[in-house]
Short mmCIF file of all heavy atoms in Angstrom, two decimals:
data_model
loop_
_atom_site.label_atom_id
_atom_site.label_comp_id
_atom_site.label_asym_id
_atom_site.label_seq_id
_atom_site.Cartn_x
_atom_site.Cartn_y
_atom_site.Cartn_z
N PRO X 204 -20.77 14.26 0.27
CA PRO X 204 -21.23 14.62 -1.10
C PRO X 204 -22.00 13.49 -1.67
O PRO X 204 -21.71 12.30 -1.37
CB PRO X 204 -19.90 14.79 -1.85
CG PRO X 204 -18.79 14.89 -0.83
CD PRO X 204 -19.31 14.18 0.40
N LEU X 205 -22.95 13.81 -2.52
CA LEU X 205 -23.71 12.76 -3.19
C LEU X 205 -22.93 12.04 -4.31
O LEU X 205 -23.15 10.94 -4.62
CB LEU X 205 -25.00 13.38 -3.75
CG LEU X 205 -26.25 12.46 -3.97
CD1 LEU X 205 -26.58 11.59 -2.72
CD2 LEU X 205 -27.45 13.33 -4.32
N VAL X 206 -21.96 12.84 -4.83
CA VAL X 206 -21.01 12.27 -5.78
C VAL X 206 -19.59 12.52 -5.24
O VAL X 206 -19.26 13.67 -4.96
CB VAL X 206 -21.17 12.92 -7.19
CG1 VAL X 206 -20.16 12.32 -8.16
CG2 VAL X 206 -22.58 12.76 -7.72
N THR X 207 -18.87 11.44 -5.04
CA THR X 207 -17.50 11.57 -4.51
C THR X 207 -16.52 11.24 -5.65
O THR X 207 -16.85 10.60 -6.63
CB THR X 207 -17.27 10.57 -3.33
OG1 THR X 207 -17.61 9.25 -3.75
CG2 THR X 207 -18.15 10.95 -2.12
N ALA X 208 -15.29 11.71 -5.41
CA ALA X 208 -14.22 11.37 -6.31
C ALA X 208 -13.36 10.30 -5.62
O ALA X 208 -12.91 10.52 -4.49
CB ALA X 208 -13.35 12.59 -6.62
N HIS X 209 -13.30 9.12 -6.24
CA HIS X 209 -12.58 8.01 -5.54
C HIS X 209 -11.12 8.40 -5.32
O HIS X 209 -10.44 8.89 -6.30
CB HIS X 209 -12.66 6.77 -6.43
CG HIS X 209 -12.16 5.55 -5.73
ND1 HIS X 209 -10.88 5.28 -5.49
CD2 HIS X 209 -12.89 4.50 -5.25
CE1 HIS X 209 -10.76 4.09 -4.85
NE2 HIS X 209 -12.02 3.64 -4.68
N PRO X 210 -10.58 8.27 -4.13
CA PRO X 210 -9.25 8.80 -3.81
C PRO X 210 -8.13 8.09 -4.57
O PRO X 210 -7.05 8.65 -4.71
CB PRO X 210 -9.09 8.58 -2.30
CG PRO X 210 -10.12 7.59 -1.92
CD PRO X 210 -11.23 7.72 -2.92
N GLU X 211 -8.38 6.87 -5.09
CA GLU X 211 -7.28 6.14 -5.78
C GLU X 211 -7.50 6.13 -7.28
O GLU X 211 -6.50 6.23 -8.06
CB GLU X 211 -7.08 4.74 -5.25
CG GLU X 211 -6.60 4.73 -3.83
CD GLU X 211 -6.21 3.33 -3.35
OE1 GLU X 211 -5.21 2.79 -3.76
OE2 GLU X 211 -6.98 2.79 -2.53
N THR X 212 -8.72 5.98 -7.71
CA THR X 212 -8.98 5.83 -9.20
C THR X 212 -9.43 7.13 -9.78
O THR X 212 -9.42 7.30 -10.99
CB THR X 212 -10.01 4.77 -9.45
OG1 THR X 212 -11.33 5.27 -8.91
CG2 THR X 212 -9.72 3.42 -8.77
N GLY X 213 -9.90 8.09 -8.93
CA GLY X 213 -10.45 9.32 -9.48
C GLY X 213 -11.86 9.20 -10.07
O GLY X 213 -12.42 10.17 -10.50
N GLU X 214 -12.39 7.97 -10.06
CA GLU X 214 -13.73 7.79 -10.62
C GLU X 214 -14.78 8.55 -9.78
O GLU X 214 -14.65 8.76 -8.59
CB GLU X 214 -14.13 6.30 -10.47
CG GLU X 214 -13.38 5.36 -11.45
CD GLU X 214 -13.69 3.91 -11.06
OE1 GLU X 214 -13.30 3.51 -9.90
OE2 GLU X 214 -14.28 3.22 -11.82
N ARG X 215 -15.83 8.99 -10.49
CA ARG X 215 -17.00 9.58 -9.79
C ARG X 215 -17.86 8.44 -9.25
O ARG X 215 -18.13 7.44 -9.94
CB ARG X 215 -17.79 10.38 -10.76
CG ARG X 215 -17.05 11.46 -11.55
CD ARG X 215 -16.63 12.58 -10.57
NE ARG X 215 -16.16 13.71 -11.28
CZ ARG X 215 -14.88 14.16 -11.26
NH1 ARG X 215 -13.96 13.44 -10.57
NH2 ARG X 215 -14.55 15.23 -11.87
N VAL X 216 -18.27 8.62 -7.98
CA VAL X 216 -19.01 7.51 -7.31
C VAL X 216 -20.32 8.06 -6.86
O VAL X 216 -20.37 9.18 -6.23
CB VAL X 216 -18.23 6.97 -6.14
CG1 VAL X 216 -19.04 5.94 -5.33
CG2 VAL X 216 -16.89 6.38 -6.58
N LEU X 217 -21.41 7.40 -7.14
CA LEU X 217 -22.73 7.80 -6.65
C LEU X 217 -22.82 7.33 -5.18
O LEU X 217 -23.24 6.20 -4.88
CB LEU X 217 -23.83 7.14 -7.51
CG LEU X 217 -25.25 7.51 -7.22
CD1 LEU X 217 -25.47 9.02 -7.18
CD2 LEU X 217 -26.18 6.90 -8.33
N TYR X 218 -22.45 8.25 -4.30
CA TYR X 218 -22.14 7.87 -2.90
C TYR X 218 -23.43 7.96 -2.03
O TYR X 218 -23.63 8.95 -1.30
CB TYR X 218 -21.02 8.72 -2.36
CG TYR X 218 -20.39 8.21 -1.12
CD1 TYR X 218 -19.63 7.03 -1.17
CD2 TYR X 218 -20.51 8.84 0.11
CE1 TYR X 218 -19.01 6.51 -0.02
CE2 TYR X 218 -19.90 8.37 1.21
CZ TYR X 218 -19.18 7.24 1.16
OH TYR X 218 -18.53 6.71 2.29
N THR X 219 -24.27 7.00 -2.20
CA THR X 219 -25.53 7.04 -1.40
C THR X 219 -25.97 5.55 -1.13
O THR X 219 -25.69 4.71 -1.90
CB THR X 219 -26.61 7.77 -2.17
OG1 THR X 219 -27.77 7.91 -1.31
CG2 THR X 219 -26.98 7.14 -3.49
N ASN X 220 -26.59 5.43 -0.02
CA ASN X 220 -27.11 4.10 0.36
C ASN X 220 -28.28 4.22 1.26
O ASN X 220 -28.35 5.11 2.13
CB ASN X 220 -25.99 3.20 0.96
CG ASN X 220 -25.60 3.65 2.33
OD1 ASN X 220 -26.25 3.20 3.30
ND2 ASN X 220 -24.59 4.47 2.45
N PRO X 221 -29.29 3.34 1.13
CA PRO X 221 -30.57 3.51 1.86
C PRO X 221 -30.50 3.23 3.33
O PRO X 221 -31.38 3.56 4.08
CB PRO X 221 -31.51 2.52 1.14
CG PRO X 221 -30.61 1.55 0.49
CD PRO X 221 -29.36 2.23 0.11
N GLU X 222 -29.41 2.61 3.82
CA GLU X 222 -29.31 2.31 5.23
C GLU X 222 -28.94 3.58 6.04
O GLU X 222 -29.52 3.83 7.10
CB GLU X 222 -28.23 1.18 5.47
CG GLU X 222 -28.03 0.81 6.95
CD GLU X 222 -29.11 -0.09 7.47
OE1 GLU X 222 -29.86 -0.63 6.57
OE2 GLU X 222 -29.28 -0.22 8.67
N PHE X 223 -28.06 4.37 5.54
CA PHE X 223 -27.57 5.51 6.28
C PHE X 223 -28.05 6.88 5.84
O PHE X 223 -28.09 7.83 6.58
CB PHE X 223 -26.04 5.50 6.27
CG PHE X 223 -25.40 4.36 7.11
CD1 PHE X 223 -24.93 3.24 6.50
CD2 PHE X 223 -25.44 4.46 8.51
CE1 PHE X 223 -24.37 2.21 7.21
CE2 PHE X 223 -24.86 3.41 9.25
CZ PHE X 223 -24.35 2.32 8.63
N VAL X 224 -28.38 6.97 4.55
CA VAL X 224 -28.72 8.34 4.03
C VAL X 224 -30.16 8.71 4.46
O VAL X 224 -31.09 7.95 4.19
CB VAL X 224 -28.60 8.39 2.50
CG1 VAL X 224 -29.01 9.74 1.98
CG2 VAL X 224 -27.13 8.18 2.13
N LYS X 225 -30.26 9.85 5.06
CA LYS X 225 -31.59 10.24 5.55
C LYS X 225 -32.19 11.34 4.69
O LYS X 225 -33.43 11.34 4.43
CB LYS X 225 -31.47 10.81 6.96
CG LYS X 225 -31.06 9.71 7.97
CD LYS X 225 -32.16 8.59 8.04
CE LYS X 225 -31.67 7.32 8.65
NZ LYS X 225 -30.87 6.45 7.84
N LYS X 226 -31.39 12.28 4.21
CA LYS X 226 -32.00 13.36 3.33
C LYS X 226 -30.90 14.00 2.57
O LYS X 226 -29.77 14.04 2.96
CB LYS X 226 -32.78 14.33 4.18
CG LYS X 226 -31.90 15.11 5.17
CD LYS X 226 -32.69 16.15 5.93
CE LYS X 226 -31.73 16.90 6.87
NZ LYS X 226 -32.35 17.83 7.72
N ILE X 227 -31.33 14.62 1.44
CA ILE X 227 -30.41 15.46 0.69
C ILE X 227 -30.63 16.89 1.16
O ILE X 227 -31.77 17.42 1.19
CB ILE X 227 -30.74 15.35 -0.80
CG1 ILE X 227 -30.51 13.86 -1.26
CG2 ILE X 227 -29.88 16.26 -1.65
CD1 ILE X 227 -30.92 13.58 -2.73
N ILE X 228 -29.53 17.49 1.49
CA ILE X 228 -29.59 18.86 2.00
C ILE X 228 -29.97 19.87 0.95
O ILE X 228 -29.54 19.81 -0.21
CB ILE X 228 -28.15 19.26 2.60
CG1 ILE X 228 -27.89 18.32 3.81
CG2 ILE X 228 -28.11 20.71 3.01
CD1 ILE X 228 -26.41 18.29 4.23
N GLY X 229 -30.89 20.74 1.37
CA GLY X 229 -31.33 21.85 0.42
C GLY X 229 -32.55 21.51 -0.40
O GLY X 229 -33.06 22.37 -1.12
N LEU X 230 -32.93 20.21 -0.40
CA LEU X 230 -34.17 19.88 -1.16
C LEU X 230 -35.33 19.80 -0.19
O LEU X 230 -35.13 19.57 1.00
CB LEU X 230 -33.99 18.53 -1.85
CG LEU X 230 -32.85 18.42 -2.90
CD1 LEU X 230 -32.98 17.07 -3.63
CD2 LEU X 230 -32.85 19.53 -3.86
N THR X 231 -36.57 19.92 -0.71
CA THR X 231 -37.69 19.65 0.10
C THR X 231 -37.75 18.17 0.45
O THR X 231 -37.21 17.36 -0.24
CB THR X 231 -39.04 20.06 -0.59
OG1 THR X 231 -39.18 19.14 -1.69
CG2 THR X 231 -39.02 21.48 -1.10
N PRO X 232 -38.44 17.81 1.54
CA PRO X 232 -38.58 16.44 1.88
C PRO X 232 -39.13 15.57 0.73
O PRO X 232 -38.68 14.47 0.44
CB PRO X 232 -39.54 16.36 3.07
CG PRO X 232 -39.27 17.67 3.75
CD PRO X 232 -38.99 18.64 2.62
N ALA X 233 -40.10 16.08 0.02
CA ALA X 233 -40.65 15.34 -1.10
C ALA X 233 -39.69 15.14 -2.21
O ALA X 233 -39.56 14.09 -2.79
CB ALA X 233 -41.92 16.04 -1.65
N GLU X 234 -38.95 16.22 -2.55
CA GLU X 234 -37.90 16.13 -3.56
C GLU X 234 -36.79 15.13 -3.17
O GLU X 234 -36.35 14.30 -3.97
CB GLU X 234 -37.24 17.49 -3.79
CG GLU X 234 -38.19 18.52 -4.49
CD GLU X 234 -37.63 19.90 -4.38
OE1 GLU X 234 -36.68 20.20 -3.61
OE2 GLU X 234 -38.09 20.79 -5.15
N SER X 235 -36.36 15.25 -1.89
CA SER X 235 -35.32 14.40 -1.44
C SER X 235 -35.72 12.90 -1.45
O SER X 235 -35.03 12.06 -1.93
CB SER X 235 -34.94 14.80 0.05
OG SER X 235 -33.98 13.94 0.55
N ASP X 236 -36.91 12.66 -0.95
CA ASP X 236 -37.42 11.26 -0.90
C ASP X 236 -37.48 10.68 -2.26
O ASP X 236 -37.12 9.49 -2.57
CB ASP X 236 -38.78 11.17 -0.21
CG ASP X 236 -38.68 11.43 1.29
OD1 ASP X 236 -37.50 11.47 1.80
OD2 ASP X 236 -39.72 11.56 1.93
N ALA X 237 -38.06 11.45 -3.20
CA ALA X 237 -38.26 10.95 -4.57
C ALA X 237 -36.93 10.73 -5.28
O ALA X 237 -36.74 9.68 -5.93
CB ALA X 237 -39.12 11.94 -5.37
N LEU X 238 -36.01 11.64 -5.11
CA LEU X 238 -34.73 11.49 -5.78
C LEU X 238 -33.89 10.37 -5.16
O LEU X 238 -33.32 9.54 -5.93
CB LEU X 238 -33.91 12.84 -5.63
CG LEU X 238 -32.57 12.88 -6.37
CD1 LEU X 238 -32.65 12.43 -7.80
CD2 LEU X 238 -31.95 14.26 -6.25
N LEU X 239 -33.90 10.24 -3.85
CA LEU X 239 -33.17 9.11 -3.22
C LEU X 239 -33.82 7.79 -3.64
O LEU X 239 -33.06 6.80 -3.90
CB LEU X 239 -33.20 9.27 -1.68
CG LEU X 239 -32.28 10.40 -1.14
CD1 LEU X 239 -32.50 10.57 0.36
CD2 LEU X 239 -30.80 10.10 -1.46
N GLY X 240 -35.13 7.72 -3.66
CA GLY X 240 -35.74 6.46 -4.09
C GLY X 240 -35.33 6.05 -5.45
O GLY X 240 -35.03 4.87 -5.74
N PHE X 241 -35.28 7.04 -6.38
CA PHE X 241 -34.84 6.75 -7.71
C PHE X 241 -33.40 6.27 -7.74
O PHE X 241 -33.05 5.30 -8.38
CB PHE X 241 -35.02 8.01 -8.60
CG PHE X 241 -34.19 7.93 -9.84
CD1 PHE X 241 -34.55 7.09 -10.89
CD2 PHE X 241 -32.99 8.67 -9.98
CE1 PHE X 241 -33.74 6.95 -12.03
CE2 PHE X 241 -32.19 8.54 -11.11
CZ PHE X 241 -32.58 7.71 -12.16
N LEU X 242 -32.56 7.00 -7.01
CA LEU X 242 -31.13 6.70 -7.04
C LEU X 242 -30.82 5.30 -6.46
O LEU X 242 -29.99 4.55 -7.01
CB LEU X 242 -30.32 7.73 -6.29
CG LEU X 242 -30.29 9.13 -6.94
CD1 LEU X 242 -29.54 10.10 -6.02
CD2 LEU X 242 -29.65 9.08 -8.31
N TRP X 243 -31.55 4.98 -5.37
CA TRP X 243 -31.34 3.69 -4.72
C TRP X 243 -31.71 2.52 -5.66
O TRP X 243 -31.07 1.51 -5.71
CB TRP X 243 -32.01 3.62 -3.37
CG TRP X 243 -31.43 4.59 -2.38
CD1 TRP X 243 -30.10 5.06 -2.38
CD2 TRP X 243 -32.04 5.16 -1.25
NE1 TRP X 243 -29.95 5.93 -1.36
CE2 TRP X 243 -31.11 6.01 -0.63
CE3 TRP X 243 -33.33 5.09 -0.72
CZ2 TRP X 243 -31.39 6.76 0.53
CZ3 TRP X 243 -33.60 5.82 0.39
CH2 TRP X 243 -32.67 6.65 1.05
N GLU X 244 -32.84 2.69 -6.33
CA GLU X 244 -33.21 1.65 -7.26
C GLU X 244 -32.24 1.60 -8.44
O GLU X 244 -31.88 0.45 -8.93
CB GLU X 244 -34.66 1.87 -7.81
CG GLU X 244 -35.65 1.58 -6.71
CD GLU X 244 -36.96 0.98 -7.24
OE1 GLU X 244 -36.92 0.20 -8.28
OE2 GLU X 244 -38.00 1.30 -6.69
N HIS X 245 -31.83 2.73 -8.88
CA HIS X 245 -30.86 2.78 -10.00
C HIS X 245 -29.56 2.05 -9.67
O HIS X 245 -29.01 1.27 -10.43
CB HIS X 245 -30.60 4.28 -10.38
CG HIS X 245 -29.49 4.45 -11.32
ND1 HIS X 245 -29.67 4.17 -12.68
CD2 HIS X 245 -28.18 4.81 -11.17
CE1 HIS X 245 -28.51 4.36 -13.30
NE2 HIS X 245 -27.61 4.79 -12.46
N CYS X 246 -29.04 2.34 -8.41
CA CYS X 246 -27.78 1.73 -7.99
C CYS X 246 -27.76 0.23 -8.08
O CYS X 246 -26.71 -0.37 -8.25
CB CYS X 246 -27.44 2.12 -6.54
SG CYS X 246 -26.96 3.81 -6.36
N ILE X 247 -28.89 -0.38 -7.81
CA ILE X 247 -28.92 -1.85 -7.69
C ILE X 247 -29.52 -2.52 -8.94
O ILE X 247 -29.98 -3.68 -8.88
CB ILE X 247 -29.65 -2.31 -6.45
CG1 ILE X 247 -31.09 -1.80 -6.39
CG2 ILE X 247 -28.87 -1.84 -5.20
CD1 ILE X 247 -31.95 -2.43 -5.30
N ARG X 248 -29.54 -1.77 -10.05
CA ARG X 248 -29.89 -2.46 -11.34
C ARG X 248 -28.99 -3.66 -11.52
O ARG X 248 -27.80 -3.64 -11.21
CB ARG X 248 -29.76 -1.48 -12.46
CG ARG X 248 -30.89 -0.46 -12.57
CD ARG X 248 -30.67 0.51 -13.67
NE ARG X 248 -30.41 -0.17 -14.93
CZ ARG X 248 -30.41 0.45 -16.12
NH1 ARG X 248 -30.61 1.76 -16.17
NH2 ARG X 248 -30.20 -0.20 -17.20
N ALA X 249 -29.52 -4.70 -12.14
CA ALA X 249 -28.76 -5.96 -12.30
C ALA X 249 -27.43 -5.71 -12.97
O ALA X 249 -26.42 -6.37 -12.63
CB ALA X 249 -29.56 -6.99 -13.07
N ASP X 250 -27.34 -4.78 -13.88
CA ASP X 250 -26.09 -4.53 -14.59
C ASP X 250 -24.95 -4.17 -13.66
O ASP X 250 -23.77 -4.38 -14.01
CB ASP X 250 -26.28 -3.34 -15.52
CG ASP X 250 -27.00 -3.67 -16.83
OD1 ASP X 250 -27.51 -4.81 -16.90
OD2 ASP X 250 -27.04 -2.84 -17.74
N TYR X 251 -25.26 -3.55 -12.55
CA TYR X 251 -24.24 -2.98 -11.68
C TYR X 251 -23.92 -3.96 -10.50
O TYR X 251 -23.13 -3.57 -9.64
CB TYR X 251 -24.64 -1.63 -11.12
CG TYR X 251 -25.11 -0.66 -12.18
CD1 TYR X 251 -26.27 0.11 -11.94
CD2 TYR X 251 -24.43 -0.49 -13.36
CE1 TYR X 251 -26.70 1.03 -12.89
CE2 TYR X 251 -24.84 0.36 -14.29
CZ TYR X 251 -26.01 1.14 -14.08
OH TYR X 251 -26.47 2.05 -15.05
#
Side-chain angles (χ1 to χ4, degrees):
L205 204 49
V206 179
T207 54
H209 192 286
E211 291 188 75
T212 66
E214 290 169 296
R215 306 291 192 248
V216 175
L217 185 50
Y218 197 67
T219 184
N220 71 85
E222 181 76 16
F223 289 104
V224 176
K225 293 299 165 278
K226 63 175 180 185
I227 298 173
I228 295 164
L230 300 189
T231 66
E234 290 168 343
S235 175
D236 289 350
L238 182 53
L239 288 172
F241 162 72
L242 293 176
W243 293 335
E244 287 214 35
H245 172 76
C246 286
I247 59 169
R248 283 176 55 168
D250 281 10
Y251 310 136

